Amino acid sequence: MDTKKFVQLFGEVLAPDTARVKAATATLKSEYYTLPESLTILLQLLVSEESTSLRQLAATQARSLVPKHWKALPDEQKPQIRQHILERTLAEEQQLVRHGAARVITAIAKIDLSDGDWPDLFDTLVQAAGSQTPRHREVGTYILFTSIEALEEDMSAKIPQLLDLFGKTINDPQSAEVKINSMLALSRIAILLDTEEDQESLKTIQDLIPQMVAVLKAAIDASDEDRTTQCFEVFQTLLGCDSAVLNKHFKDLVQFMTNIAADTEADEDARTQAISFLMQCVRFRKLKMQGLRVGEQLTLKCLEIVTEMGDADADDEEVTTGRSALALIDVLSESLPPSQVVVPLLQNLGPYVNSPDPDRRKAGILALGTCVEGAPDFINTQLHEIFPLVLRLFQDPEDKVRRAALDTIMRLAEDLAEDLGKEHAKLMPALVKHLDTAMKQLAGPEDTKNMDTIKACCNAIDALVDGLESDVLQGYLSELLPRMSKLFTHPDFKIKAAAIGALGAIAASSKEAFTPYFEQVMNALSDYVQIKDSEDELDLRCTTCDAMGAMALAVGAEPFQRYVRPLMEATEEGLHLDHPKLRETSFLFWGNMAKVYKGEFKPFLEGVIKAIFESLESEESDLDVELGEEAADLVGKEVTIGGRKVKVSAFTDDELAAADEIEDLDGMEEDEDDDSDWADLQAVTAVAQEKEIAVEVVGDIVTHLTRDYIPYIEKTVEIILPMTEHSYEGVRRGAIGTLYRLYAAVWGLQPDDIQKWKPGLPLKQKPTDEVVKLGEVIATASLAVWSEEEDRATVTEINRNLAATLKLTGPSLISNPQNLTSLSKTVISILNKQHTCQLDMGPLDTASSPDDLDPGVIESSEYDWLVIDTALDVIVSLSQVLGPSFAEFYKLIEKSVLRFASSSESYERSTAVGVLAECIRGMDASVTPYTSSLFKILIHRLQDEDAGVKSNAVFAIGLLIANSEDEREIGKNFNNVLAKLEPLLGEVEARTKDNAAGCVGRMISNYQDKVPLGAVLPALVSVLPLKEDWEENEAVWGCLVRLYSDGEPTILGLTPKLLPILEQVLGPPDEQLDAETREQVVQLVKFLYGKQPQLVKKYSGLMAVNA
């Protein structure tokens, strides 16, 4: 090998000429790095070269070549090489070179130690780490850190000795670098530590946490940004270790980070990193944070921090303390119960929103808006107080306050569109006025303030109209459409897109009322589905196609017909324009066409399915993320890593040189034989996001073209089934949802007599063999994912799909005993808050069951409750499909459901009591053994402060009295129930009154002799007709018809009062009565006409029945 030429080429890599660098690099890789001698030369350069840059580069390149060539070097040379590298590294002045050389030593040691070579290395490093010379201590501690990181197996046995060493070096009196290295090493030890087997080492590392905090504090006080960042990364790493590592000092650590975040004298970077740490605490130690009840303190600290934002927008990308505080409020509201976040925020909001300081008013309204997504149900209960406040600040004299209020309006509309829509008469004119003002004041493309306002107004209108009924929105079309149309031609692409997006939402919500405007709008937008000359044009093309799909759904098949083929061609072209979002848009448009045209979409089906299948089968493993040339295609793009969007930036030469300084705190191996440096980070690629959309669109097509889709079913299952285990949760959710939709669609192709399933196992009516086979495949796959799924939203989606499919298709899906057992275990784990998606990364404490937990932990955030709420839906479906045999399953979940029925949260009580009612209905007479315990909770809930709870309780009691055969228990509680029903019949809330009427009807029907009819029947008739819960008409009219049949004198005397009621229930809407009950009522009218024709003739609606 030509050593001189090698060294010359190596020097070229540092040349300022990109072409020379590329040429030299290519030659080195192809002609030299394949030879073992190249490693020898690089190691010589590392120990002897005068140029710091060349030594650094030599270290970097040597490290990558050691795994390839070290074993091939002559054995007699190796001792000298080891000695020289170690000596040179101990004497190295430049930190970057020291660290690079340390990595080389570690790479060599990884090979040597496995072969029994270099046995004295560890002792040498320990000696260096304890040296009197600071430089030696710095090198020794750093190499030990990299060795622990790379040589886990060899180092695990030395943990006690290492802890003893780093317990001393973390207090180094002379070198901050030694302290940082010690922290880095301790974080790696924490990862290796078996906390259950090695309690002594656990205690040692726990006792070192305060000293690690002291190192962080010293770095912050010294304004040492690099070391501060390293310290924070260490604590982030510790947060990912076994929870026992931090538990002892967790509360103090949270308080320390909170104090840093709130310290206006501290560097902004330190404050934002403290907030980031707190966010991770909430995400990964949610139950611990909830149990510590720190939510209120954090929320109020963040509220104050947000006041520092000044004129900055909340949605700018730059990371600031104020924006980080808003992000923490967002995470808190999503993860912790409303009582710990939203309630204290609202209680303390007044001094902010009413302050003379606009920065405080802005902070208050921004914080409020940030909470909406995390706790929409609770915010909705307070909307009557929140909305006037938001509207007032939307008219604030300060522009930044108005802009913040607009942001909050948009968030409210996105999550509470229907309820906010009730305020349309006040809100829509205000939005239009705000839009007009910004459009009028717009000074040109540099006027970002007014441009941002225009976009925000369009986005708010976009969200708001989703909650408006068609007839209401129709009154605004003449105001909104001309304004949106004017913006279609605005030179700014983002304003165009915002207006077109709002137009699509307006069309979707206004439905047929949009038809008069349809042609004009389509003509105005037609050019935008063809543009493709820039990224902005392609983005606008996406938005336009989405809007046109919405318009198709609004106006229907016939008006849209002439646009179908050209748009299908345009969207097919969009697949080939190298724009991921445009591919998603094409799929979504096809899904909308399937909804609109159903069987008429068949001519396009083959091509559509081919394209979608190609997307679903596309590879996702082509990404090489070595941070260099191979990752150049990622520069400037966003990737999502660990749930965070990260923008990849190009490295400067200085940054490339400094890359070695970035310590890997996540355990990623750096050896060249690893698959990928990012392998464990599960980056969400554009391909994965495309697959999420594509698989959901398959579900739309299957649902609306089921018969035409039959030829593709087998291939669809083959492709989608493996996707239930995809690394991206969005794909998993979409795949499982589509498989259930496929099963439901195929179920509907069976003969009617098979579709009309009967409850109970074994099956009384077996589906076709094809349906049985498909159901078994889907159930087995989805139940396996369901039991181990870590993503909360995915578990919620599986719950919903399973509940809905069981209701539609009956017990066949769970006729396999193994599936029923698996389902039971998973549901019970969710109810007990022990499912994987409900747990922190480590155990909260020693509590063995939910009953042992602190009440602050039992309380749920809204998203946590959604997992349980939808699992309760599965229980309701089970009660329906299993029928009386459900009693065995009820025995397993009774305690959990009763616990929720006694919750401090009204929505939990209401849901649980409603579930009890459905269980009673499903079990029928097999509910008998549970009569006593059910009466106890249900009678107590009749006096609940919440109307929904009372309503569900009275409904459940009526079913219990009708179904249970425990006459003794019923007799014991009968009069008590009857007495409590009397005030409920006078309730203002219609549903409670309706359910009370149904309960009375069931009591009379089953125990007429126990009811004082003379007093009860007039009260019952006085609340008729039922206003809201028409299902109860079956119990009420079934009872009254029976009494008439028996000639009961009280009811006969009430006939004059019942006749106008009968006319109303037989009139519109038809949904008041089911078919069977309607027939009973019709027969009653005919009976009464035969007895008292003159009375009946007064009511034309009744005479129509007798015609």
Side-chain angles (χ1 to χ4, degrees):
M1 184 171 127
D2 189 337
T3 303
K4 185 176 180 181
K5 186 176 180 183
F6 175 88
V7 174
Q8 182 182 352
L9 278 170
F10 195 69
E12 287 281 291
V13 174
L14 296 177
D17 186 330
T18 304
R20 288 167 60 191
V21 170
K22 286 186 175 182
T25 302
T27 304
L28 286 168
K29 283 184 176 182
S30 62
E31 297 181 18
Y32 292 94
Y33 285 171
T34 56
L35 304 174
E37 292 90 334
S38 63
L39 176 59
T40 305
I41 298 172
L42 288 172
L43 294 175
Q44 290 172 353
L45 289 173
L46 175 59
V47 299
S48 60
E49 174 60 43
E50 292 184 6
S51 166
T52 299
S53 297
L54 275 178
R55 290 202 310 277
Q56 168 63 17
L57 186 60
T60 302
Q61 298 303 305
R63 179 178 61 182
S64 66
L65 293 180
V66 165
K68 285 183 179 180
H69 299 317
W70 176 253
K71 285 192 174 185
L73 298 187
D75 289 340
E76 62 273 13
Q77 293 181 11
K78 289 180 180 177
Q80 187 177 14
I81 292 173
R82 296 184 192 113
Q83 181 181 353
H84 284 175
I85 294 176
L86 198 54
E87 289 175 353
R88 185 68 177 86
T89 304
L90 287 170
E92 177 60 58
E93 299 266 339
Q94 298 296 323
Q95 186 185 64
L96 282 177
V97 181
R98 285 202 304 272
H99 287 186
R103 296 284 187 183
V104 174
I105 292 170
T106 301
I108 294 171
K110 188 171 184 178
I111 298 170
D112 282 355
L113 293 177
S114 65
D115 294 338
D117 296 328
W118 212 353
D120 60 341
L121 174 63
F122 180 76
D123 292 336
T124 302
L125 295 175
V126 170
Q127 183 178 352
S131 166
Q132 295 298 312
T133 305
R135 178 64 44 73
H136 291 181
R137 296 198 299 275
E138 290 167 0
V139 173
T141 53
Y142 189 81
I143 299 177
L144 283 170
F145 153 60
T146 59
S147 299
I148 297 168
E149 185 179 43
L151 310 172
E152 296 181 357
E153 189 174 332
D154 294 287
M155 290 296 183
S156 292
K158 298 179 171 61
I159 284 178
Q161 187 179 351
L162 288 167
L163 286 174
D164 181 64
L165 170 67
F166 293 124
K168 298 170 184 172
T169 58
I170 198 168
N171 296 307
D172 192 288
Q174 295 172 290
S175 172
E177 186 178 338
V178 173
K179 295 179 182 179
I180 294 295
N181 293 344
S182 301
M183 284 187 69
L184 292 169
L186 287 168
S187 72
R188 306 313 302 182
I189 292 173
I191 292 173
L192 297 179
L193 189 63
D194 186 333
T195 57
E196 293 185 1
E197 295 294 326
D198 192 352
Q199 289 286 315
E200 186 175 340
S201 294
L202 172 62
K203 183 179 183 305
T204 301
I205 205 166
Q206 286 175 333
D207 292 342
L208 288 173
I209 297 297
Q211 296 170 61
M212 296 169 79
V213 171
V215 175
L216 170 58
K217 186 176 185 306
I220 293 172
D221 292 343
S223 297
D224 189 330
E225 186 175 327
D226 291 339
R227 292 198 169 103
T228 297
T229 297
Q230 287 181 304
C231 289
F232 273 115
E233 288 173 342
V234 165
F235 281 108
Q236 293 275 15
T237 299
L238 294 176
L239 201 56
C241 297
D242 190 303
S243 60
V245 173
L246 286 180
N247 267 358
K248 182 177 178 181
H249 299 286
F250 188 76
K251 182 177 181 180
D252 293 336
L253 186 59
V254 168
Q255 188 60 56
F256 173 73
M257 295 293 184
T258 304
N259 292 342
I260 293 174
D263 184 2
T264 55
E265 299 298 318
D267 289 344
E268 182 168 65
D269 190 56
R271 297 176 69 196
T272 58
Q273 291 189 78
I275 294 173
S276 177
F277 178 82
L278 291 169
M279 289 171 67
Q280 298 306 312
C281 287
V282 178
R283 288 193 177 107
F284 298 125
R285 294 285 184 272
K286 181 172 70 69
L287 295 180
K288 187 72 175 179
M289 295 289 279
Q290 187 171 330
L292 291 174
R293 298 178 183 275
V294 294
E296 177 172 350
Q297 180 193 10
L298 290 175
T299 300
L300 299 183
K301 291 284 188 184
C302 286
L303 178 57
E304 186 61 29
I305 292 170
V306 177
T307 63
E308 302 171 29
M309 288 185 65
D311 294 336
D313 284 340
D315 54 0
D316 281 355
E317 293 183 2
E318 182 185 355
V319 176
T320 65
T321 311
R323 292 193 190 95
S324 296
L326 285 174
L328 178 53
I329 291 175
D330 185 25
V331 173
L332 287 166
S333 66
E334 178 186 330
S335 304
L336 301 184
S339 64
Q340 293 194 23
V341 182
V342 187
V343 171
L345 176 69
L346 292 177
Q347 289 173 341
N348 289 273
L349 204 58
Y352 288 84
V353 296
N354 297 316
S355 170
D357 181 355
D359 288 334
R360 299 186 77 77
R361 298 198 300 276
K362 173 183 174 180
I365 197 64
L366 278 178
L368 174 60
T370 302
C371 285
V372 176
E373 185 180 5
D377 290 341
F378 182 82
I379 291 290
N380 193 30
T381 65
Q382 308 301 309
L383 197 57
H384 61 287
E385 294 184 7
I386 290 173
F387 178 72
L389 164 67
V390 175
L391 197 61
R392 172 168 64 83
L393 293 180
F394 192 37
Q395 298 163 343
D396 194 274
E398 288 284 341
D399 178 74
K400 60 184 171 184
V401 179
R402 294 195 302 272
R403 183 67 181 82
L406 179 56
D407 181 79
T408 296
I409 288 169
M410 187 164 58
R411 290 170 179 265
L412 286 167
E414 286 172 348
D415 287 284
L416 301 170
E418 187 174 333
D419 295 282
L420 190 66
K422 295 173 183 176
E423 303 289 350
H424 66 86
K426 297 176 183 176
L427 186 53
M428 191 65 81
L431 285 169
V432 170
K433 179 182 177 183
H434 211 62
L435 176 62
D436 285 346
T437 301
M439 290 173 68
K440 184 177 180 180
Q441 293 179 350
L442 186 61
E446 304 302 320
D447 186 358
T448 56
K449 184 180 76 172
N450 280 308
M451 288 175 66
D452 288 345
T453 299
I454 291 169
K455 286 181 285 187
C457 285
C458 289
N459 292 335
I461 291 169
D462 185 333
L464 179 63
V465 297
D466 190 46
L468 300 185
E469 293 295 331
S470 175
D471 58 337
V472 173
L473 183 54
Q474 186 173 1
Y476 293 110
L477 293 181
S478 60
E479 290 186 65
L480 294 175
L481 293 180
R483 290 171 170 83
M484 297 300 130
S485 298
K486 184 176 181 181
L487 294 173
F488 294 169
T489 57
H490 192 280
D492 184 81
F493 280 94
K494 288 185 171 57
I495 286 182
K496 279 191 181 90
I500 293 171
L503 184 282
I506 291 167
S509 295
S510 57
K511 300 183 174 67
E512 294 86 355
F514 185 76
T515 304
Y517 307 92
F518 170 63
E519 291 289 348
Q520 179 183 352
V521 171
M522 287 295 290
N523 290 334
L525 298 181
S526 59
D527 289 344
Y528 295 151
V529 296
Q530 305 293 335
I531 54 177
K532 55 186 174 184
D533 292 337
S534 68
E535 197 74 16
D536 285 337
E537 286 192 355
L538 291 171
D539 287 340
L540 184 60
R541 180 169 172 162
C542 290
T543 304
T544 305
C545 288
D546 288 340
M548 288 182 172
M551 285 189 275
L553 292 171
V555 302
E558 188 175 343
F560 201 80
Q561 182 66 52
R562 71 187 184 92
Y563 298 101
V564 174
R565 185 163 294 280
L567 285 172
M568 289 298 295
E569 291 172 357
T571 50
E572 197 279 332
E573 181 193 36
L575 300 179
H576 311 291
L577 295 177
D578 195 26
H579 190 277
K581 185 73 172 68
L582 194 52
R583 292 176 61 83
E584 295 173 19
T585 292
S586 296
F587 297 151
L588 290 169
F589 181 81
W590 297 346
N592 283 333
M593 291 301 98
K595 293 174 188 175
V596 173
Y597 290 97
K598 299 180 173 61
E600 295 178 38
F601 191 64
K602 183 179 178 180
F604 300 101
L605 189 57
E606 183 178 353
V608 163
I609 295 303
K610 181 177 181 292
I612 291 178
F613 280 1
E614 286 176 358
S615 170
L616 296 178
E617 293 182 299
S618 59
E619 294 292 331
E620 297 178 63
S621 57
D622 298 330
L623 188 63
D624 182 357
V625 264
E626 182 180 340
L627 293 180
E629 249 178 66
E630 292 82 351
D633 59 327
L634 291 177
V635 171
K637 297 183 180 179
E638 281 190 341
V639 295
T640 303
I641 301 175
R644 293 182 60 192
K645 285 187 176 178
V646 179
K647 191 166 187 178
V648 181
S649 302
F651 283 104
T652 64
D653 290 342
D654 290 341
E655 287 169 331
L656 281 171
D660 239 43
E661 183 70 357
I662 302 172
E663 296 312 333
D664 176 5
L665 300 178
D666 292 314
M668 294 184 291
E669 294 292 335
E670 295 181 72
D671 290 348
E672 200 173 81
D673 56 356
D674 281 345
D675 291 334
S676 166
D677 282 349
W678 288 357
D680 294 331
L681 292 180
Q682 297 181 346
V684 180
T685 64
V687 176
Q689 292 173 328
E690 178 186 311
K691 287 184 178 182
E692 177 185 11
I693 299 298
V695 76
E696 289 174 355
V697 170
V698 170
D700 291 334
I701 295 172
V702 166
T703 299
H704 295 94
L705 288 93
T706 306
R707 289 194 181 278
D708 297 318
Y709 198 85
I710 290 174
Y712 307 101
I713 288 177
E714 186 175 346
K715 180 68 172 176
T716 300
V717 174
E718 178 187 324
I719 293 173
I720 295 180
L721 206 61
M723 296 173 69
T724 61
E725 297 182 350
H726 195 278
S727 60
Y728 173 41
E729 64 274 9
V731 173
R732 295 198 299 275
R733 281 197 297 271
I736 290 171
T738 291
L739 287 172
Y740 275 112
R741 292 178 74 176
L742 179 62
Y743 180 74
V746 173
W747 176 274
L749 296 177
Q750 298 178 111
D752 290 345
D753 59 327
I754 296 181
Q755 289 188 52
K756 294 176 182 176
W757 55 268
K758 295 178 181 178
L761 291 175
L763 296 176
K764 297 176 177 60
Q765 179 72 55
K766 188 178 179 182
T768 62
D769 291 343
E770 293 80 4
V771 171
V772 169
K773 182 180 177 182
L774 179 62
E776 182 61 30
V777 168
I778 292 172
T780 302
S782 64
L783 293 177
V785 173
W786 189 34
S787 64
E788 299 178 356
E789 177 60 56
E790 295 181 359
D791 179 63
R792 189 172 51 180
T794 302
V795 173
T796 300
E797 195 62 24
I798 295 174
N799 293 347
R800 286 176 174 144
N801 278 290
L802 185 56
T805 307
L806 285 172
K807 283 183 181 179
L808 176 68
T809 64
S812 62
L813 204 59
I814 52 170
S815 57
N816 182 327
Q818 291 179 329
N819 288 343
L820 184 57
T821 300
S822 173
L823 182 152
S824 302
K825 288 181 179 178
T826 303
V827 167
I828 290 168
S829 72
I830 293 173
L831 296 188
N832 290 331
K833 300 188 178 182
Q834 295 298 308
H835 189 278
T836 307
C837 76
Q838 297 168 299
L839 300 176
D840 281 349
M841 289 178 64
L844 170 72
D845 49 33
T846 57
S848 58
S849 76
D851 294 331
D852 301 326
L853 296 176
D854 183 282
V857 176
I858 292 176
E859 192 180 2
S860 302
S861 73
E862 289 190 13
Y863 283 94
D864 288 330
W865 172 249
L866 202 54
V867 177
I868 297 168
D869 187 25
T870 50
L872 291 170
D873 289 339
V874 175
I875 290 174
V876 170
S877 295
L878 275 178
S879 71
Q880 294 174 357
V881 303
L882 294 179
S885 61
F886 175 76
E888 287 301 308
F889 181 80
Y890 178 78
K891 182 167 46 181
L892 303 176
I893 53 100
E894 179 186 28
K895 185 177 180 181
S896 298
V897 179
L898 292 180
R899 184 173 64 248
F900 290 122
S902 300
S903 166
S904 61
E905 294 292 339
S906 60
Y907 61 86
E908 294 187 8
R909 296 196 304 275
S910 178
T911 301
V913 173
V915 169
L916 289 174
E918 294 300 335
C919 291
I920 294 167
R921 174 155 45 190
M923 285 188 282
D924 200 23
S926 63
V927 74
T928 301
Y930 310 105
T931 305
S932 177
S933 60
L934 286 168
F935 262 129
K936 182 178 179 181
I937 185 68
L938 294 175
I939 289 175
H940 183 59
R941 288 296 152 222
L942 285 179
Q943 297 175 299
D944 199 280
E945 62 187 23
D946 183 77
V949 178
K950 284 190 289 190
S951 178
N952 287 343
V954 72
F955 176 58
I957 285 176
L959 292 171
L960 184 60
I961 290 173
N963 291 352
S964 175
E965 295 176 349
D966 189 344
E967 295 186 4
R968 180 176 174 279
E969 195 66 33
I970 291 172
K972 189 167 66 175
N973 291 280
F974 199 88
N975 289 335
N976 187 19
V977 171
L978 202 56
K980 292 183 184 300
L981 284 178
E982 184 179 0
L984 295 182
L985 289 170
E987 281 274 343
V988 175
E989 209 272 326
R991 187 165 168 268
T992 304
K993 194 184 300 186
D994 292 352
N995 287 133
C999 185
V1000 170
R1002 292 184 177 91
M1003 294 177 78
I1004 295 172
S1005 295
N1006 290 274
Y1007 295 94
Q1008 183 175 329
D1009 59 320
K1010 296 180 182 295
V1011 180
L1013 296 178
V1016 172
L1017 284 175
L1020 175 60
V1021 171
S1022 70
V1023 303
L1024 300 179
L1026 303 185
K1027 303 295 191 299
E1028 187 173 321
D1029 196 344
W1030 292 331
E1031 185 182 351
E1032 292 289 51
N1033 273 320
E1034 179 183 355
V1036 170
W1037 290 104
C1039 162
L1040 296 181
V1041 167
R1042 194 173 298 108
L1043 291 175
Y1044 270 109
S1045 178
D1046 293 342
E1048 201 284 320
T1050 306
I1051 198 65
L1052 292 174
L1054 291 168
T1055 299
K1057 291 186 177 180
L1058 277 168
L1059 288 174
I1061 296 170
L1062 283 164
E1063 185 178 42
Q1064 290 182 62
V1065 297
L1066 288 171
D1070 293 341
E1071 293 80 11
Q1072 290 181 85
L1073 303 173
D1074 61 35
E1076 186 177 343
T1077 305
R1078 178 174 293 276
E1079 180 58 28
Q1080 286 182 312
V1081 174
V1082 167
Q1083 292 303 319
L1084 174 59
V1085 171
K1086 291 181 177 179
F1087 168 79
L1088 293 175
Y1089 182 71
K1091 296 289 185 181
Q1092 303 180 58
Q1094 295 306 315
L1095 274 177
V1096 176
K1097 285 180 179 178
K1098 295 179 181 179
Y1099 302 96
S1100 59
L1102 298 183
M1103 288 306 296
V1105 170
N1106 289 284

